Amino acid sequence: MKRAAAPEPAIDPVPGQKPLNRLFRAFAYRDFRLLWFGAFTSSAGTWMQQAAQSWLILQLTNDPSYLGFNEFLATAPILFLSLVGGVVADRTDRRRILLGSQYMQLSFAFALALLAWLGVVSVWHILLLSLLTGVAQSFGGPAYQALIPTLVERRDLANALALNSIQFNLARIVGPMMAGEALAALGAAACFGLNGLSFVAVIIALSLISVQYVPQTGNGRNMRNEMRLGLAFVWHQSALRSLTLLAFALSFLGFQLVTFLSFFAREIFRMEVQGFSHLLAMSGAGAVTGALVVAWLGDAPHKGRIALRMQIILGLIITAFAFTTNVPLAYLLVYLGGVFMMASFAPIASLVQLLVNDEMRGRVMSIYNTAFRGGMPLGSLVTGLLLKHFSPTQVFATEGLLLALIALFFLTARSQAEVRN
């Protein structure tokens, strides 16, 4: 295996260490800082496009099931290609994979911007480009997740992963807020074009970092056998199996609150696009708060137990949101949903990363990614179809209670002791 110099050392924790130093510990690494700021810019552009896309889909179709269908197409490729992407990430320079993924997504964003600017965009254009973007992300996702742990030392990995969640969710505040203003003033084409430009930031960052671990190209091994090795590795470790199942439940049942916010904003709360963007931004603000808490805790013990308790609370918040028609209360519940979503997700992701080594990281993370990201499109598709036959209150209250009950099972079952540690 080819290795570059070790990552820049971070300062060891000392008694009385300043809270901010503890909170942003992983920023001591230059390459992590570069990738963080590049990824934040790109994520803000992506959330801007997603907000504009959701509103445009409702304008074109007046049918909330298309929101679920679009989310399904955007992330369904992960179900079929992410495992291949994980094998590729364990055989190829992960930076090169990421650069290819960014260039593809840049092209798709500009294509949608052009269609919207010409006034010829239709819902099938949006669906097709969402599908193609999902294909690019199914290779870029495992490579990105496998790259981050090589930029910091193991002791700072939990903090780095929490800070990475902060950039993603901080972008959920900035992106939708920008989308609300840009949509009202300039139209959807401007949102899509700005998203295309945002990919330039992460491309520059990837070009500047020093990759600490580069897999041996090809390794002379069969890709199918390597995929089987990855699946067997996860299957024979009960903790990884359980964590993967929890990640699937969290995205299948929990993330639909975000996916269908535009539906609640327009149909339940009678909001315009600015109101929807504010709701989405509140969800992002809550997720940033949750990630800040996780980052401050760092390598705290009993991550699994913490994640399960947070997931129970998240399920109850979703259930409460399903019954509310009060706008200020809706803002509060969406914010709290973001807090506890991140407080559930981040410890689970940290545990998975800590259980694998660099040689297997791409494949294991692709399996985890398939479960977590794959649960989103399946959940969106099912939720969209259920909304045709049942009220939003019935659908989301049921999903929230199921999420809480699954976490309660893992918290109390004796056989799941490894997950709670």
Side-chain angles (χ1 to χ4, degrees), residues 75-96:
T75 47
I78 294 168
L79 291 172
F80 305 103
L81 296 176
S82 189
L83 293 178
V84 177
V87 174
V88 173
D90 283 338
R91 295 162 59 100
T92 310
D93 185 342
R94 289 154 184 171
R95 177 168 54 181
R96 291 176 56 190

Side-chain angles (χ1 to χ4, degrees), residues 245-296:
L245 176 60
L246 281 169
F248 177 81
L250 187 59
S251 61
F252 185 92
L253 297 168
F255 206 79
Q256 307 319 314
L257 180 64
V258 178
T259 300
F260 288 88
L261 268 183
S262 59
F263 171 74
F264 276 94
R266 202 176 82 153
E267 302 300 326
I268 306 300
F269 304 121
R270 305 299 177 188
M271 295 175 170
E272 296 298 328
V273 64
Q274 287 89 350
F276 161 54
S277 68
H278 293 162
L279 268 179
L280 205 54
M282 284 297 289
S283 174
V288 169
T289 304
L292 283 169
V293 173
V294 174
W296 184 82

Side-chain angles (χ1 to χ4, degrees), residues 66 68 80 102 104 117 142 248 255 297 307 311 313 317 333 376:
Y66 275 96
F80 305 103
Q102 303 309 303
M104 290 173 67
W117 182 66
F248 177 81
F255 206 79
L297 290 172
Q311 189 167 313
I313 298 173
I317 289 170
L333 290 172
M376 294 179 194

Side-chain angles (χ1 to χ4, degrees), residues 87-171:
V87 174
V88 173
D90 283 338
R91 295 162 59 100
T92 310
D93 185 342
R94 289 154 184 171
R95 177 168 54 181
R96 291 176 56 190
I97 300 171
L98 278 167
L99 283 169
S101 174
Q102 303 309 303
Y103 281 119
M104 290 173 67
Q105 292 178 72
L106 178 151
S107 302
F108 301 147
F110 280 136
L112 189 55
L114 180 62
L115 289 169
W117 182 66
L118 293 174
V120 296
V121 67
S122 64
V123 69
W124 77 264
H125 292 132
I126 299 173
L127 298 177
L128 175 61
L129 289 168
S130 291
L131 176 66
L132 293 174
T133 300
V135 171
Q137 290 177 348
S138 65
F139 286 89
Y144 181 78
Q145 290 179 314
L147 181 63
I148 288 178
T150 69
L151 303 181
V152 301
E153 294 181 5
R154 181 180 175 84
R155 64 188 176 186
D156 296 319
L157 179 56
N159 181 259
L161 293 173
L163 289 177
N164 182 62
S165 297
I166 288 172
Q167 69 82 10
F168 179 78
N169 289 288
L170 188 60

